[in-house]
Amino acid sequence: MSTYDDDRLLELLSSALSQADPVPEYVTEAARQSFTWRTIDAELAELVYDSAGQEMVGVRGAEATRQVTFRAPGIEIEVMVMSDGVRRLVGQLVPPQQATVELRCGGSVRDSATDRLGRFTFTDVGTGPAQITVETADGAKVVTDWVLV
Amino acid sequence: MTDPFVCLEYSTMNDAPVAELLAGAADGDQAAWNALVEKYSRLVWYVVRGFRLDDAAAADVTQTVWLKLVEHCGRIRDPERLAGWLAVTTRNEALRVLKQQDKQTPSDFAFEISDPTATDMDERLVDDEIERAALRAFSRLSEDDQRLLRLLCVDPPLDYATISEIIGRPVGSLGPTRQRALERLRKFMTAELGEDPGGLV
């Protein structure tokens, strides 16, 4: 048997790993299905802050609230995911304004609206990738980056 | 995807350049999207497997990454960097989950968290005896070694700049680190295979 140099050893490992730890079909299928969530004609609000981001070194402890901020030109969407008791998602539009709000999470879609101060709440929020769509009074549509909550 | 027409279209799209697939997906073409998934699902999976996540968390991270790409596929400036974008996005999402788990798990119960690096591989799926030995040897490596070797096994391959970003080590150290990790793998394999290392050392 010939000697296994580094490249051949890596090839061998690669072949073994691809057989022993294949991508589960349900994972690939979910990836294909992701495309059905595509939003058209919406401005993307990018994630600009996440208290669970690894670059934000926080105090380790029983902190049950996660803060996330998304930003698109002219609007910010501030969101808190609270896990004390009932899991809920509380948001604030900046600048404050009235808008309809849609939450996509765990395969379901829920509609809500902000109050006059731009605040909104969703209760009993599941876990999984989540996305918020905001449609402002002047008809502008903003969609956030997906975030795993 | 049982429609034969869709399948046909899909198979011819797999060889299309990444830029074309991204443009197609941005335009709403599901076949182009499926081809992207086909091409890169292993890459995302390998990166996510390099972190200590259980199956459910790994699946959630993976889906989040693909959903992010749905929103970003029309915005990626350099299509040749898609592999790097996917790998780094996966790393970031995996680290977020780990950080959340850290917060939510009382330290007293930390020992109950299983070590997925030891359980997520099914050796029985591998026919070749030497490959099985490679897997057993791999599972004896440190988490850092395993993560690096997985990243080096990714197909299509990741460039060193991306790997260095994911594991947080300078590019210049990757060559020597790779060499040492493979040296340890070789040593464990030799032990697994007994007296006759089959030219492994």
Side-chain angles (χ1 to χ4, degrees):
Chain A
M1 193 184 284
S2 62
T3 305
Y4 282 70
D5 63 18
D6 282 3
D7 288 341
R8 272 207 67 200
L9 189 56
L10 207 51
E11 260 173 50
L12 182 87
L13 178 66
S14 180
S15 162
L17 282 174
S18 67
Q19 293 167 70
D21 187 16
V23 190
E25 178 51 32
Y26 73 92
V27 169
T28 312
E29 184 54 27
R32 290 188 207 104
Q33 294 294 330
S34 301
F35 200 59
T36 58
W37 294 102
R38 199 170 73 97
T39 330
I40 309 159
D41 298 333
E43 190 79 52
L44 181 69
E46 296 199 55
L47 184 69
V48 291
Y49 173 77
D50 184 350
S51 61
Q54 84 286 350
E55 66 280 2
M56 305 293 173
V57 181
V59 181
R60 222 179 119 165
E63 189 188 321
T65 300
R66 176 174 173 197
Q67 292 185 47
V68 185
T69 304
F70 303 97
R71 186 184 298 151
I75 193 167
E76 272 192 14
I77 304 166
E78 291 176 1
V79 178
M80 284 191 293
V81 185
M82 294 155 141
S83 305
D84 51 331
V86 181
R87 213 150 174 279
R88 60 199 192 280
L89 194 151
V90 178
Q92 166 78 62
L93 301 184
V94 181
Q97 58 197 287
Q98 270 185 305
T100 59
V101 183
E102 181 189 277
L103 172 68
R104 299 163 159 189
C105 183
S108 71
V109 180
R110 290 160 69 183
D111 291 310
S112 182
T114 66
D115 62 14
R116 283 185 303 118
L117 299 173
R119 297 175 299 195
F120 60 93
T121 304
F122 290 96
T123 49
D124 288 321
V125 175
T127 57
Q131 182 182 49
I132 295 166
T133 306
V134 171
E135 200 166 339
T136 59
D138 57 11
K141 200 169 167 188
V142 175
V143 63
T144 68
D145 241 335
W146 285 88
V147 61
L148 187 52
V149 298
Chain B
M1 290 299 107
T2 49
D3 183 337
F5 177 70
V6 173
C7 290
L8 180 70
E9 201 180 336
Y10 167 74
S11 63
T12 55
M13 290 215 81
N14 277 350
D15 299 325
V18 176
E20 221 168 273
L21 296 177
L22 279 172
D27 248 9
D29 182 355
Q30 174 87 49
W33 175 259
N34 288 355
L36 284 172
V37 170
E38 183 72 17
K39 194 173 170 70
Y40 292 103
S41 62
R42 290 203 56 74
L43 180 153
V44 173
W45 191 245
Y46 267 35
V47 176
V48 87
R49 279 305 205 194
F51 296 88
R52 287 167 177 256
L53 298 170
D54 61 26
D55 280 359
D60 271 349
V61 166
T62 306
Q63 205 194 346
T64 304
V65 172
W66 287 109
L67 286 163
K68 276 175 176 283
L69 182 62
V70 171
E71 296 299 346
H72 284 268
C73 57
R75 298 177 172 90
I76 290 179
R77 289 184 197 91
D78 181 2
E80 298 314 310
R81 290 280 303 139
L82 177 59
W85 185 91
L86 284 168
V88 171
T89 303
T90 306
R91 191 254 343 220
N92 291 346
E93 290 303 316
L95 289 178
R96 281 195 185 109
V97 170
L98 288 174
K99 195 170 171 199
Q100 292 292 105
Q101 285 178 353
D102 264 2
K103 282 179 186 165
Q104 285 161 14
T105 311
S107 55
D108 288 352
F109 295 103
F111 67 90
E112 285 182 11
I113 298 172
S114 63
D115 174 7
T117 54
T119 58
D120 61 11
M121 291 187 296
D122 189 352
E123 195 191 309
R124 288 166 304 179
L125 296 170
V126 182
D127 291 331
D128 186 81
E129 192 203 337
I130 296 182
E131 292 190 354
R132 280 200 301 273
L135 285 180
R136 286 195 298 273
F138 179 77
S139 67
R140 289 171 65 184
L141 293 173
S142 71
E143 196 180 349
D144 283 351
D145 278 355
Q146 288 193 20
R147 185 176 299 154
L148 175 66
L149 292 183
R150 270 182 205 276
L151 291 171
L152 290 166
C153 285
V154 162
D155 177 45
L158 294 170
D159 57 33
Y160 268 22
T162 302
I163 294 178
S164 123
E165 195 176 342
I166 291 173
I167 63 173
R169 296 180 72 121
V171 175
S173 76
L174 288 186
T177 310
R178 171 190 194 262
Q179 202 179 357
R180 284 194 297 271
L182 286 169
E183 203 50 56
R184 285 186 280 268
L185 180 71
R186 196 179 275 115
K187 194 182 82 190
F188 286 141
M189 270 180 80
T190 304
E192 291 289 340
L193 288 166
E195 285 307 302
D196 175 20
L200 281 166
V201 286

